[in-house]
Amino acid sequence: MRPVILLTGKKGQVGGELLRLLPRVGEVVAVGHDQLDLSNPSDIRQTIRRVRPQLIVNAAAYTAVDQAETDESMAHAVNAEAPGLMAEEAKKIDAALIHYSTDYVFDGTKKTPYDEIDSVNPINVYGKTKFAGEQAIRGSGVLHLIFRTSWVYATRGRNFLLTILRLATERKELRIVSDQVGAPTCALEVAEATAKVLTSIRDKNDSGFVFSEVSGTYHMSATGQTTWYDFAKTILEKAEATPHILEWLTAATKERPLIARSLIPISTKDFRSPTRRPPYSVLSNARLSKTFDVALSDWRTELQRCFASDSVASNQSAD
Ligand SMILES: NC(=O)c1ccc[n+]([C@@H]2O[C@H](COP(=O)([O-])OP(=O)(O)OC[C@H]3O[C@@H](n4cnc5c(N)ncnc54)[C@H](OP(=O)(O)O)[C@@H]3O)[C@@H](O)[C@H]2O)c1
């Protein structure tokens, strides 16, 4: 019998990709926000007790980083309390939990890629609630994998890639922060890496997974590093060089679409965001690679792959 996997956040960037890939490793019962509200503890308990999964994959989260600053109780309920409750329920039925966390657990004072053993010090509400979620999972004693990733984008949803493409049709110039360094990670790569990890720990009968030797926290982001400014510039350069996207950009704007040359680098202090973000949050995937022999691509390669799919432009026009 194939293992039953309960997937939350099926309409999110990572969740949407997991929905396509996880059926390779198990029987997936997937729920979205409308079917399971993670701010409602009894919803969580009932769903887990009804499905009785062998594995819960929690891809749902409160990810609106700026909004979290003024909506702390909801961010805390979804990012901290819900994962803790899932862990507690999972432990009761001997299930394992896969959960995603963030580079924003770090304060960004380091100058070389963060390892899992580096001390955390989140500097915004989102980062604090995500770290509290990690702690709740670790404290529950459930067998788990916490994958910290960074700067996630996809061909759908709310993300930097699609925002830049939309703004390219609306603005004549764009001012982008050039002093925050990280690694933009495509949601598809996170889902693929997760599926590969699961394949690598399948038990002999294909009826479950062996988490006991590998339970813990792992970094899982694209390799290489860049700034938001350079990421935006690369997005527009690739858009200009990709016929179906250039065609869409040109059709969507009355004049010439914005070009990479029209971007202006600015500093974090000039951006005047209410939210503090780490100036450096590159993650080292060495532990992931050593434990599971799973590697992610360089961020430019991931972006190229994303552009190769027709869905970038088609999902923009659907907005
Ligand atoms: N996005 C990033 O840049 C980033 C960076 C680092 C780490 N991560 C982590 O990676 C994981 C996946 O992120 P993602 O980018 O795929 O996020 P996403 O696209 O924002 O998807 C999150 C999903 O969670 C759902 N959700 C929000 N509140 C909920 C609630 N109360 N109950 C049930 N579902 C709820 C959302 O549904 P609605 O849209 O209907 O609310 C959405 O479908 C998260 O753990 C996130 O913290 C993300």
Side-chain angles (χ1 to χ4, degrees), residues 32-87:
H33 195 164
D34 46 350
Q35 290 146 307
L36 169 61
D37 180 358
L38 291 194
S39 67
N40 182 335
S42 67
D43 250 21
I44 299 174
R45 281 197 200 92
Q46 276 170 20
T47 304
I48 295 172
R49 289 175 192 178
R50 176 174 50 82
V51 177
R52 293 193 69 79
Q54 275 161 275
L55 170 65
I56 300 171
V57 180
N58 179 31
Y62 187 110
T63 56
V65 176
D66 289 333
Q67 204 175 306
E69 295 293 310
T70 52
D71 192 13
E72 184 162 359
S73 62
M74 182 54 83
H76 194 266
V78 178
N79 291 345
E81 289 163 32
L85 192 53
M86 281 184 201

Side-chain angles (χ1 to χ4, degrees), residues 162-176:
L162 297 183
T163 301
I164 291 295
L165 289 177
R166 177 174 52 77
L167 292 176
T169 68
E170 297 172 0
R171 306 257 181 100
K172 292 218 176 344
E173 73 175 33
L174 267 183
R175 302 159 80 79
I176 314 278

